[in-house]
mmCIF file of all heavy atoms in Angstrom:
data_model
loop_
_atom_site.group_PDB
_atom_site.id
_atom_site.type_symbol
_atom_site.label_atom_id
_atom_site.label_comp_id
_atom_site.label_asym_id
_atom_site.label_seq_id
_atom_site.Cartn_x
_atom_site.Cartn_y
_atom_site.Cartn_z
ATOM 1 N N LEU A 1 -18.394 -0.786 -49.999
ATOM 2 C CA LEU A 1 -19.355 -1.871 -49.827
ATOM 3 C C LEU A 1 -20.140 -1.623 -48.547
ATOM 4 O O LEU A 1 -19.589 -1.163 -47.550
ATOM 5 C CB LEU A 1 -18.634 -3.222 -49.702
ATOM 6 C CG LEU A 1 -18.261 -3.992 -50.959
ATOM 7 C CD1 LEU A 1 -17.430 -5.222 -50.577
ATOM 8 C CD2 LEU A 1 -19.499 -4.424 -51.731
ATOM 9 N N TYR A 2 -21.442 -1.954 -48.585
ATOM 10 C CA TYR A 2 -22.289 -1.805 -47.407
ATOM 11 C C TYR A 2 -23.045 -3.105 -47.174
ATOM 12 O O TYR A 2 -23.117 -3.971 -48.055
ATOM 13 C CB TYR A 2 -23.273 -0.645 -47.601
ATOM 14 C CG TYR A 2 -22.598 0.678 -47.872
ATOM 15 C CD1 TYR A 2 -22.506 1.185 -49.174
ATOM 16 C CD2 TYR A 2 -22.051 1.420 -46.833
ATOM 17 C CE1 TYR A 2 -21.876 2.397 -49.427
ATOM 18 C CE2 TYR A 2 -21.419 2.638 -47.079
ATOM 19 C CZ TYR A 2 -21.335 3.116 -48.372
ATOM 20 O OH TYR A 2 -20.711 4.308 -48.620
ATOM 21 N N ILE A 3 -23.634 -3.218 -46.001
ATOM 22 C CA ILE A 3 -24.347 -4.456 -45.690
ATOM 23 C C ILE A 3 -25.601 -4.631 -46.548
ATOM 24 O O ILE A 3 -26.113 -5.744 -46.684
ATOM 25 C CB ILE A 3 -24.726 -4.534 -44.189
ATOM 26 C CG1 ILE A 3 -25.601 -3.343 -43.782
ATOM 27 C CG2 ILE A 3 -23.487 -4.607 -43.329
ATOM 28 C CD1 ILE A 3 -26.165 -3.463 -42.372
ATOM 29 N N ASP A 4 -26.092 -3.531 -47.151
ATOM 30 C CA ASP A 4 -27.274 -3.631 -48.012
ATOM 31 C C ASP A 4 -26.921 -3.518 -49.501
ATOM 32 O O ASP A 4 -27.792 -3.292 -50.337
ATOM 33 C CB ASP A 4 -28.318 -2.585 -47.637
ATOM 34 C CG ASP A 4 -27.791 -1.159 -47.740
ATOM 35 O OD1 ASP A 4 -26.571 -0.984 -47.964
ATOM 36 O OD2 ASP A 4 -28.594 -0.226 -47.586
ATOM 37 N N THR A 5 -25.618 -3.683 -49.833
ATOM 38 C CA THR A 5 -25.208 -3.663 -51.236
ATOM 39 C C THR A 5 -25.722 -4.911 -51.938
ATOM 40 O O THR A 5 -25.571 -6.031 -51.434
ATOM 41 C CB THR A 5 -23.677 -3.607 -51.363
ATOM 42 O OG1 THR A 5 -23.203 -2.390 -50.767
ATOM 43 C CG2 THR A 5 -23.247 -3.640 -52.826
ATOM 44 N N ALA A 6 -26.334 -4.731 -53.092
ATOM 45 C CA ALA A 6 -26.861 -5.862 -53.860
ATOM 46 C C ALA A 6 -25.784 -6.436 -54.771
ATOM 47 O O ALA A 6 -24.971 -5.700 -55.341
ATOM 48 C CB ALA A 6 -28.060 -5.419 -54.696
ATOM 49 N N CYS A 7 -25.790 -7.736 -54.904
ATOM 50 C CA CYS A 7 -24.853 -8.402 -55.809
ATOM 51 C C CYS A 7 -25.221 -8.059 -57.254
ATOM 52 O O CYS A 7 -26.383 -8.217 -57.659
ATOM 53 C CB CYS A 7 -24.904 -9.916 -55.605
ATOM 54 S SG CYS A 7 -23.980 -10.862 -56.830
ATOM 55 N N PRO A 8 -24.278 -7.613 -58.065
ATOM 56 C CA PRO A 8 -24.591 -7.280 -59.458
ATOM 57 C C PRO A 8 -24.932 -8.496 -60.309
ATOM 58 O O PRO A 8 -25.533 -8.356 -61.374
ATOM 59 C CB PRO A 8 -23.311 -6.602 -59.955
ATOM 60 C CG PRO A 8 -22.241 -7.072 -59.051
ATOM 61 C CD PRO A 8 -22.887 -7.297 -57.719
ATOM 62 N N ALA A 9 -24.577 -9.693 -59.821
ATOM 63 C CA ALA A 9 -24.842 -10.912 -60.590
ATOM 64 C C ALA A 9 -26.184 -11.537 -60.245
ATOM 65 O O ALA A 9 -26.989 -11.844 -61.119
ATOM 66 C CB ALA A 9 -23.724 -11.934 -60.381
ATOM 67 N N CYS A 10 -26.447 -11.736 -58.937
ATOM 68 C CA CYS A 10 -27.680 -12.434 -58.533
ATOM 69 C C CYS A 10 -28.697 -11.517 -57.865
ATOM 70 O O CYS A 10 -29.791 -11.971 -57.524
ATOM 71 C CB CYS A 10 -27.345 -13.612 -57.622
ATOM 72 S SG CYS A 10 -26.808 -13.158 -55.947
ATOM 73 N N THR A 11 -28.340 -10.271 -57.623
ATOM 74 C CA THR A 11 -29.166 -9.220 -57.008
ATOM 75 C C THR A 11 -29.473 -9.473 -55.522
ATOM 76 O O THR A 11 -30.234 -8.719 -54.921
ATOM 77 C CB THR A 11 -30.502 -9.020 -57.762
ATOM 78 O OG1 THR A 11 -31.371 -10.140 -57.562
ATOM 79 C CG2 THR A 11 -30.253 -8.793 -59.246
ATOM 80 N N GLN A 12 -28.883 -10.503 -54.939
ATOM 81 C CA GLN A 12 -29.080 -10.776 -53.513
ATOM 82 C C GLN A 12 -28.494 -9.621 -52.696
ATOM 83 O O GLN A 12 -27.414 -9.113 -52.989
ATOM 84 C CB GLN A 12 -28.401 -12.088 -53.122
ATOM 85 C CG GLN A 12 -28.564 -12.497 -51.670
ATOM 86 C CD GLN A 12 -29.964 -12.987 -51.340
ATOM 87 O OE1 GLN A 12 -30.709 -13.402 -52.212
ATOM 88 N NE2 GLN A 12 -30.322 -12.939 -50.068
ATOM 89 N N VAL A 13 -29.213 -9.210 -51.661
ATOM 90 C CA VAL A 13 -28.770 -8.123 -50.799
ATOM 91 C C VAL A 13 -28.218 -8.688 -49.500
ATOM 92 O O VAL A 13 -28.793 -9.611 -48.923
ATOM 93 C CB VAL A 13 -29.925 -7.147 -50.495
ATOM 94 C CG1 VAL A 13 -29.518 -6.124 -49.438
ATOM 95 C CG2 VAL A 13 -30.375 -6.442 -51.765
ATOM 96 N N GLY A 14 -27.084 -8.142 -49.052
ATOM 97 C CA GLY A 14 -26.542 -8.510 -47.747
ATOM 98 C C GLY A 14 -25.479 -9.583 -47.766
ATOM 99 O O GLY A 14 -25.030 -10.005 -46.700
ATOM 100 N N ASP A 15 -25.063 -10.035 -48.946
ATOM 101 C CA ASP A 15 -24.080 -11.114 -49.017
ATOM 102 C C ASP A 15 -22.782 -10.710 -49.697
ATOM 103 O O ASP A 15 -21.937 -11.555 -49.991
ATOM 104 C CB ASP A 15 -24.668 -12.326 -49.751
ATOM 105 C CG ASP A 15 -25.693 -13.064 -48.914
ATOM 106 O OD1 ASP A 15 -25.301 -13.604 -47.860
ATOM 107 O OD2 ASP A 15 -26.874 -13.082 -49.295
ATOM 108 N N MET A 16 -22.588 -9.423 -49.942
ATOM 109 C CA MET A 16 -21.354 -8.956 -50.560
ATOM 110 C C MET A 16 -20.268 -8.756 -49.494
ATOM 111 O O MET A 16 -20.533 -8.238 -48.408
ATOM 112 C CB MET A 16 -21.590 -7.648 -51.309
ATOM 113 C CG MET A 16 -22.537 -7.774 -52.494
ATOM 114 S SD MET A 16 -21.856 -8.807 -53.818
ATOM 115 C CE MET A 16 -20.589 -7.703 -54.470
ATOM 116 N N ARG A 17 -19.045 -9.160 -49.839
ATOM 117 C CA ARG A 17 -17.918 -9.028 -48.924
ATOM 118 C C ARG A 17 -16.659 -8.712 -49.722
ATOM 119 O O ARG A 17 -16.589 -8.960 -50.921
ATOM 120 C CB ARG A 17 -17.694 -10.307 -48.125
ATOM 121 C CG ARG A 17 -17.432 -11.533 -48.988
ATOM 122 C CD ARG A 17 -16.866 -12.694 -48.191
ATOM 123 N NE ARG A 17 -15.425 -12.513 -47.938
ATOM 124 C CZ ARG A 17 -14.683 -13.405 -47.284
ATOM 125 N NH1 ARG A 17 -15.229 -14.512 -46.812
ATOM 126 N NH2 ARG A 17 -13.389 -13.190 -47.100
ATOM 127 N N PRO A 18 -15.641 -8.159 -49.069
ATOM 128 C CA PRO A 18 -14.369 -7.948 -49.767
ATOM 129 C C PRO A 18 -13.803 -9.291 -50.236
ATOM 130 O O PRO A 18 -13.930 -10.305 -49.546
ATOM 131 C CB PRO A 18 -13.473 -7.317 -48.698
ATOM 132 C CG PRO A 18 -14.416 -6.775 -47.665
ATOM 133 C CD PRO A 18 -15.590 -7.693 -47.667
ATOM 134 N N HIS A 19 -13.170 -9.285 -51.393
ATOM 135 C CA HIS A 19 -12.576 -10.514 -51.919
ATOM 136 C C HIS A 19 -11.159 -10.664 -51.356
ATOM 137 O O HIS A 19 -10.158 -10.618 -52.070
ATOM 138 C CB HIS A 19 -12.549 -10.483 -53.447
ATOM 139 C CG HIS A 19 -12.084 -11.752 -54.076
ATOM 140 N ND1 HIS A 19 -12.653 -12.976 -53.808
ATOM 141 C CD2 HIS A 19 -11.081 -11.994 -54.976
ATOM 142 C CE1 HIS A 19 -12.038 -13.914 -54.514
ATOM 143 N NE2 HIS A 19 -11.072 -13.341 -55.207
ATOM 144 N N VAL A 20 -11.103 -10.811 -50.050
ATOM 145 C CA VAL A 20 -9.831 -10.982 -49.356
ATOM 146 C C VAL A 20 -9.909 -12.232 -48.493
ATOM 147 O O VAL A 20 -10.999 -12.689 -48.126
ATOM 148 C CB VAL A 20 -9.488 -9.755 -48.483
ATOM 149 C CG1 VAL A 20 -9.333 -8.515 -49.338
ATOM 150 C CG2 VAL A 20 -10.537 -9.541 -47.400
ATOM 151 N N VAL A 21 -8.744 -12.771 -48.192
ATOM 152 C CA VAL A 21 -8.673 -13.966 -47.344
ATOM 153 C C VAL A 21 -8.516 -13.517 -45.900
ATOM 154 O O VAL A 21 -7.539 -12.855 -45.543
ATOM 155 C CB VAL A 21 -7.483 -14.856 -47.755
ATOM 156 C CG1 VAL A 21 -7.344 -16.039 -46.795
ATOM 157 C CG2 VAL A 21 -7.665 -15.347 -49.189
ATOM 158 N N TRP A 22 -9.483 -13.877 -45.077
ATOM 159 C CA TRP A 22 -9.421 -13.544 -43.657
ATOM 160 C C TRP A 22 -8.701 -14.636 -42.885
ATOM 161 O O TRP A 22 -8.545 -15.763 -43.365
ATOM 162 C CB TRP A 22 -10.839 -13.354 -43.106
ATOM 163 C CG TRP A 22 -11.494 -12.092 -43.577
ATOM 164 C CD1 TRP A 22 -10.893 -10.896 -43.806
ATOM 165 C CD2 TRP A 22 -12.892 -11.904 -43.867
ATOM 166 N NE1 TRP A 22 -11.822 -9.964 -44.210
ATOM 167 C CE2 TRP A 22 -13.042 -10.540 -44.265
ATOM 168 C CE3 TRP A 22 -14.011 -12.732 -43.823
ATOM 169 C CZ2 TRP A 22 -14.277 -10.013 -44.609
ATOM 170 C CZ3 TRP A 22 -15.243 -12.199 -44.176
ATOM 171 C CH2 TRP A 22 -15.374 -10.852 -44.565
ATOM 172 N N PHE A 23 -8.256 -14.306 -41.695
ATOM 173 C CA PHE A 23 -7.626 -15.296 -40.833
ATOM 174 C C PHE A 23 -8.614 -16.436 -40.580
ATOM 175 O O PHE A 23 -9.776 -16.202 -40.262
ATOM 176 C CB PHE A 23 -7.187 -14.658 -39.517
ATOM 177 C CG PHE A 23 -6.015 -13.736 -39.668
ATOM 178 C CD1 PHE A 23 -6.194 -12.399 -40.003
ATOM 179 C CD2 PHE A 23 -4.714 -14.202 -39.500
ATOM 180 C CE1 PHE A 23 -5.111 -11.544 -40.162
ATOM 181 C CE2 PHE A 23 -3.620 -13.355 -39.655
ATOM 182 C CZ PHE A 23 -3.827 -12.031 -39.986
ATOM 183 N N GLY A 24 -8.119 -17.655 -40.757
ATOM 184 C CA GLY A 24 -8.974 -18.820 -40.622
ATOM 185 C C GLY A 24 -9.497 -19.333 -41.950
ATOM 186 O O GLY A 24 -10.124 -20.396 -41.994
ATOM 187 N N GLU A 25 -9.245 -18.594 -43.044
ATOM 188 C CA GLU A 25 -9.668 -19.016 -44.376
ATOM 189 C C GLU A 25 -8.448 -19.486 -45.181
ATOM 190 O O GLU A 25 -7.319 -19.089 -44.914
ATOM 191 C CB GLU A 25 -10.367 -17.872 -45.113
ATOM 192 C CG GLU A 25 -11.662 -17.436 -44.448
ATOM 193 C CD GLU A 25 -12.361 -16.315 -45.196
ATOM 194 O OE1 GLU A 25 -11.667 -15.463 -45.787
ATOM 195 O OE2 GLU A 25 -13.607 -16.276 -45.173
ATOM 196 N N MET A 26 -8.700 -20.320 -46.182
ATOM 197 C CA MET A 26 -7.626 -20.869 -47.006
ATOM 198 C C MET A 26 -7.207 -19.877 -48.085
ATOM 199 O O MET A 26 -8.049 -19.355 -48.808
ATOM 200 C CB MET A 26 -8.107 -22.159 -47.676
ATOM 201 C CG MET A 26 -7.049 -22.830 -48.553
ATOM 202 S SD MET A 26 -5.589 -23.365 -47.637
ATOM 203 C CE MET A 26 -6.289 -24.716 -46.673
ATOM 204 N N PRO A 27 -5.913 -19.599 -48.207
ATOM 205 C CA PRO A 27 -5.444 -18.741 -49.300
ATOM 206 C C PRO A 27 -5.813 -19.321 -50.659
ATOM 207 O O PRO A 27 -6.028 -20.529 -50.800
ATOM 208 C CB PRO A 27 -3.921 -18.710 -49.094
ATOM 209 C CG PRO A 27 -3.744 -18.977 -47.634
ATOM 210 C CD PRO A 27 -4.823 -19.958 -47.281
ATOM 211 N N PHE A 28 -5.827 -18.471 -51.662
ATOM 212 C CA PHE A 28 -6.249 -18.873 -52.998
ATOM 213 C C PHE A 28 -5.125 -19.576 -53.774
ATOM 214 O O PHE A 28 -3.947 -19.271 -53.607
ATOM 215 C CB PHE A 28 -6.710 -17.648 -53.796
ATOM 216 C CG PHE A 28 -7.904 -16.952 -53.212
ATOM 217 C CD1 PHE A 28 -7.935 -15.568 -53.074
ATOM 218 C CD2 PHE A 28 -9.016 -17.672 -52.804
ATOM 219 C CE1 PHE A 28 -9.043 -14.915 -52.550
ATOM 220 C CE2 PHE A 28 -10.132 -17.039 -52.277
ATOM 221 C CZ PHE A 28 -10.144 -15.659 -52.149
ATOM 222 N N GLU A 29 -5.539 -20.485 -54.646
ATOM 223 C CA GLU A 29 -4.693 -21.123 -55.657
ATOM 224 C C GLU A 29 -3.462 -21.810 -55.082
ATOM 225 O O GLU A 29 -2.375 -21.814 -55.695
ATOM 226 C CB GLU A 29 -4.281 -20.114 -56.737
ATOM 227 C CG GLU A 29 -5.479 -19.534 -57.489
ATOM 228 C CD GLU A 29 -5.084 -18.860 -58.786
ATOM 229 O OE1 GLU A 29 -4.470 -19.527 -59.641
ATOM 230 O OE2 GLU A 29 -5.381 -17.665 -58.935
ATOM 231 N N MET A 30 -3.613 -22.459 -53.931
ATOM 232 C CA MET A 30 -2.461 -23.099 -53.308
ATOM 233 C C MET A 30 -1.931 -24.271 -54.138
ATOM 234 O O MET A 30 -0.711 -24.501 -54.180
ATOM 235 C CB MET A 30 -2.835 -23.566 -51.896
ATOM 236 C CG MET A 30 -3.103 -22.415 -50.926
ATOM 237 S SD MET A 30 -1.736 -21.230 -50.828
ATOM 238 C CE MET A 30 -0.428 -22.284 -50.212
ATOM 239 N N ASP A 31 -2.786 -25.001 -54.795
ATOM 240 C CA ASP A 31 -2.322 -26.120 -55.625
ATOM 241 C C ASP A 31 -1.410 -25.617 -56.741
ATOM 242 O O ASP A 31 -0.354 -26.208 -57.019
ATOM 243 C CB ASP A 31 -3.506 -26.892 -56.221
ATOM 244 C CG ASP A 31 -4.257 -27.696 -55.190
ATOM 245 O OD1 ASP A 31 -3.721 -27.890 -54.077
ATOM 246 O OD2 ASP A 31 -5.384 -28.140 -55.492
ATOM 247 N N ARG A 32 -1.820 -24.538 -57.378
ATOM 248 C CA ARG A 32 -1.008 -23.970 -58.459
ATOM 249 C C ARG A 32 0.319 -23.442 -57.929
ATOM 250 O O ARG A 32 1.368 -23.601 -58.562
ATOM 251 C CB ARG A 32 -1.785 -22.861 -59.168
ATOM 252 C CG ARG A 32 -1.044 -22.255 -60.350
ATOM 253 C CD ARG A 32 -1.821 -21.100 -60.944
ATOM 254 N NE ARG A 32 -1.018 -20.368 -61.920
ATOM 255 C CZ ARG A 32 -1.278 -19.140 -62.349
ATOM 256 N NH1 ARG A 32 -2.351 -18.498 -61.895
ATOM 257 N NH2 ARG A 32 -0.489 -18.543 -63.211
ATOM 258 N N ILE A 33 0.286 -22.818 -56.756
ATOM 259 C CA ILE A 33 1.514 -22.267 -56.172
ATOM 260 C C ILE A 33 2.504 -23.371 -55.853
ATOM 261 O O ILE A 33 3.688 -23.302 -56.211
ATOM 262 C CB ILE A 33 1.185 -21.452 -54.910
ATOM 263 C CG1 ILE A 33 0.399 -20.187 -55.280
ATOM 264 C CG2 ILE A 33 2.473 -21.072 -54.165
ATOM 265 C CD1 ILE A 33 -0.164 -19.442 -54.089
ATOM 266 N N TYR A 34 2.037 -24.433 -55.185
ATOM 267 C CA TYR A 34 2.952 -25.514 -54.813
ATOM 268 C C TYR A 34 3.469 -26.262 -56.034
ATOM 269 O O TYR A 34 4.624 -26.709 -56.060
ATOM 270 C CB TYR A 34 2.293 -26.468 -53.827
ATOM 271 C CG TYR A 34 2.338 -25.950 -52.406
ATOM 272 C CD1 TYR A 34 1.174 -25.618 -51.717
ATOM 273 C CD2 TYR A 34 3.545 -25.763 -51.754
ATOM 274 C CE1 TYR A 34 1.223 -25.131 -50.419
ATOM 275 C CE2 TYR A 34 3.606 -25.269 -50.460
ATOM 276 C CZ TYR A 34 2.444 -24.955 -49.797
ATOM 277 O OH TYR A 34 2.496 -24.462 -48.522
ATOM 278 N N ALA A 35 2.647 -26.375 -57.064
ATOM 279 C CA ALA A 35 3.115 -27.007 -58.299
ATOM 280 C C ALA A 35 4.251 -26.198 -58.905
ATOM 281 O O ALA A 35 5.247 -26.745 -59.399
ATOM 282 C CB ALA A 35 1.969 -27.148 -59.292
ATOM 283 N N ALA A 36 4.122 -24.869 -58.878
ATOM 284 C CA ALA A 36 5.182 -24.005 -59.406
ATOM 285 C C ALA A 36 6.439 -24.094 -58.553
ATOM 286 O O ALA A 36 7.559 -24.140 -59.080
ATOM 287 C CB ALA A 36 4.689 -22.562 -59.474
ATOM 288 N N LEU A 37 6.284 -24.132 -57.231
ATOM 289 C CA LEU A 37 7.436 -24.243 -56.338
ATOM 290 C C LEU A 37 8.179 -25.555 -56.558
ATOM 291 O O LEU A 37 9.416 -25.599 -56.539
ATOM 292 C CB LEU A 37 6.987 -24.139 -54.879
ATOM 293 C CG LEU A 37 6.530 -22.759 -54.403
ATOM 294 C CD1 LEU A 37 5.835 -22.860 -53.056
ATOM 295 C CD2 LEU A 37 7.719 -21.794 -54.318
ATOM 296 N N GLU A 38 7.432 -26.620 -56.774
ATOM 297 C CA GLU A 38 8.053 -27.934 -56.969
ATOM 298 C C GLU A 38 8.793 -28.032 -58.295
ATOM 299 O O GLU A 38 9.669 -28.887 -58.460
ATOM 300 C CB GLU A 38 6.982 -29.023 -56.879
ATOM 301 C CG GLU A 38 6.425 -29.195 -55.472
ATOM 302 C CD GLU A 38 5.155 -30.030 -55.444
ATOM 303 O OE1 GLU A 38 4.753 -30.532 -56.524
ATOM 304 O OE2 GLU A 38 4.565 -30.166 -54.354
ATOM 305 N N GLY A 39 8.472 -27.136 -59.233
ATOM 306 C CA GLY A 39 9.114 -27.187 -60.537
ATOM 307 C C GLY A 39 10.089 -26.059 -60.805
ATOM 308 O O GLY A 39 10.686 -25.997 -61.877
ATOM 309 N N CYS A 40 10.291 -25.160 -59.828
ATOM 310 C CA CYS A 40 11.136 -24.000 -60.088
ATOM 311 C C CYS A 40 12.602 -24.294 -59.795
ATOM 312 O O CYS A 40 12.933 -25.194 -59.018
ATOM 313 C CB CYS A 40 10.669 -22.794 -59.273
ATOM 314 S SG CYS A 40 11.081 -22.826 -57.519
ATOM 315 N N ASP A 41 13.481 -23.513 -60.409
ATOM 316 C CA ASP A 41 14.897 -23.610 -60.067
ATOM 317 C C ASP A 41 15.412 -22.328 -59.408
ATOM 318 O O ASP A 41 16.570 -22.240 -59.049
ATOM 319 C CB ASP A 41 15.759 -23.978 -61.274
ATOM 320 C CG ASP A 41 15.433 -23.192 -62.526
ATOM 321 O OD1 ASP A 41 15.121 -21.992 -62.394
ATOM 322 O OD2 ASP A 41 15.466 -23.772 -63.613
ATOM 323 N N LEU A 42 14.512 -21.340 -59.224
ATOM 324 C CA LEU A 42 14.856 -20.126 -58.485
ATOM 325 C C LEU A 42 13.623 -19.630 -57.753
ATOM 326 O O LEU A 42 12.550 -19.476 -58.345
ATOM 327 C CB LEU A 42 15.360 -19.036 -59.441
ATOM 328 C CG LEU A 42 15.596 -17.642 -58.839
ATOM 329 C CD1 LEU A 42 16.664 -17.686 -57.750
ATOM 330 C CD2 LEU A 42 15.983 -16.639 -59.923
ATOM 331 N N PHE A 43 13.782 -19.377 -56.457
ATOM 332 C CA PHE A 43 12.715 -18.807 -55.640
ATOM 333 C C PHE A 43 13.243 -17.535 -54.998
ATOM 334 O O PHE A 43 14.290 -17.543 -54.341
ATOM 335 C CB PHE A 43 12.263 -19.783 -54.552
ATOM 336 C CG PHE A 43 11.300 -19.183 -53.556
ATOM 337 C CD1 PHE A 43 9.991 -18.892 -53.915
ATOM 338 C CD2 PHE A 43 11.713 -18.897 -52.255
ATOM 339 C CE1 PHE A 43 9.103 -18.328 -53.003
ATOM 340 C CE2 PHE A 43 10.834 -18.337 -51.332
ATOM 341 C CZ PHE A 43 9.528 -18.055 -51.713
ATOM 342 N N VAL A 44 12.515 -16.433 -55.176
ATOM 343 C CA VAL A 44 12.924 -15.143 -54.633
ATOM 344 C C VAL A 44 11.813 -14.604 -53.739
ATOM 345 O O VAL A 44 10.661 -14.475 -54.184
ATOM 346 C CB VAL A 44 13.228 -14.126 -55.753
ATOM 347 C CG1 VAL A 44 13.769 -12.835 -55.148
ATOM 348 C CG2 VAL A 44 14.216 -14.702 -56.758
ATOM 349 N N SER A 45 12.152 -14.287 -52.507
ATOM 350 C CA SER A 45 11.192 -13.720 -51.556
ATOM 351 C C SER A 45 11.526 -12.252 -51.334
ATOM 352 O O SER A 45 12.668 -11.909 -51.022
ATOM 353 C CB SER A 45 11.265 -14.483 -50.225
ATOM 354 O OG SER A 45 10.397 -13.916 -49.268
ATOM 355 N N ILE A 46 10.516 -11.392 -51.497
ATOM 356 C CA ILE A 46 10.736 -9.942 -51.447
ATOM 357 C C ILE A 46 9.783 -9.282 -50.454
ATOM 358 O O ILE A 46 8.565 -9.436 -50.555
ATOM 359 C CB ILE A 46 10.513 -9.306 -52.838
ATOM 360 C CG1 ILE A 46 11.441 -9.934 -53.881
ATOM 361 C CG2 ILE A 46 10.712 -7.798 -52.779
ATOM 362 C CD1 ILE A 46 11.102 -9.531 -55.307
ATOM 363 N N GLY A 47 10.336 -8.568 -49.494
ATOM 364 C CA GLY A 47 9.516 -7.737 -48.617
ATOM 365 C C GLY A 47 8.557 -8.500 -47.724
ATOM 366 O O GLY A 47 7.448 -8.026 -47.479
#
């Protein structure tokens, strides 16, 4: 990705970024995650 990469959807130049969560941003799908945690009977944390 470059600063002059055009968006394949809207063709806007200069607004493309990695689809990652940076520090200070909210992680994705937190509502779904907490709903699953509240309904699970086993939680396993790995690595």
Side-chain angles (χ1 to χ4, degrees):
L1 274 174
Y2 302 101
I3 58 172
D4 59 352
T5 298
C7 171
C10 72
T11 70
Q12 181 73 22
V13 172
D15 287 296
M16 295 294 288
R17 59 165 281 181
H19 186 55
V20 298
V21 175
W22 288 325
F23 289 87
E25 296 181 326
M26 181 63 69
F28 297 134
E29 299 196 57
M30 293 306 298
D31 289 345
R32 183 184 170 198
I33 292 170
Y34 279 115
L37 289 168
E38 291 167 4
C40 76
D41 46 37
L42 173 61
F43 172 72
V44 185
S45 177
I46 302 170

